[in-house]
């Protein structure tokens, strides 16, 4: 029987990298670009993005054991706000 490990898939980012102009978010494409270019999240791992009063909410999909040791995932864990 294969053991399923439940990795963290839900993140909230409330502080953004300087120079991204995320104070005035105008479209979903801006959120997506931020995740790809500033957070280095692979495109295929992004399931859903939304912007709420709490910040940028990121839901990941298809996480594998190798992903949790990747720099992008480790940095996302460090950057994300505690729920």
């Amino acid at each position: 029987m294969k053991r399923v490990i439940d990795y963290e898939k839900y993140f909230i980012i409330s502080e953004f990298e300087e120079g991204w102009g995320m104070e005035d978010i105008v479209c979903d494409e801006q959120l997506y670009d931020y995740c790809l270019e500033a957070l280095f999240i692979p495109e295929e791992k992004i399931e859903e993005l939304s912007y709420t009063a709490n910040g940028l909410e990121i839901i990941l999909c298809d996480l594998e054991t190798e992903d949790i040791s990747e720099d992008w995932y480790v940095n996302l864990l460090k950057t994300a706000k505690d729920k």
Side-chain angles (χ1 to χ4, degrees):
M1 182 179 231
K2 188 176 179 181
R3 184 174 167 219
V4 176
I5 300 172
D6 193 24
Y7 302 115
E8 185 68 40
K9 295 180 180 181
Y10 177 78
F11 301 90
I12 297 175
I13 304 296
S14 58
E15 294 183 24
F16 299 99
E17 301 259 342
E18 196 170 317
W20 274 88
M22 298 300 279
E23 309 80 35
D24 302 312
I25 296 176
V26 292
C27 66
D28 290 341
E29 186 176 328
Q30 189 177 7
L31 299 175
Y32 195 73
D33 287 346
Y34 184 79
C35 287
L36 294 177
E37 297 173 25
L39 300 176
F40 303 104
I41 301 172
E43 185 174 0
E44 66 274 6
K45 300 297 179 182
I46 299 172
E47 181 174 320
E48 187 177 328
L49 300 174
S50 60
Y51 191 77
T52 68
N54 293 324
L56 170 57
E57 294 184 0
I58 302 169
I59 300 174
L60 302 177
C61 62
D62 301 326
L63 291 177
E64 299 173 3
T65 304
E66 304 84 45
D67 293 323
I68 64 164
S69 61
E70 292 288 333
D71 288 345
W72 67 266
Y73 188 83
V74 172
N75 289 334
L76 188 58
L77 284 171
K78 291 177 184 176
T79 305
K81 178 176 157 181
D82 289 331
K83 296 168 241 359

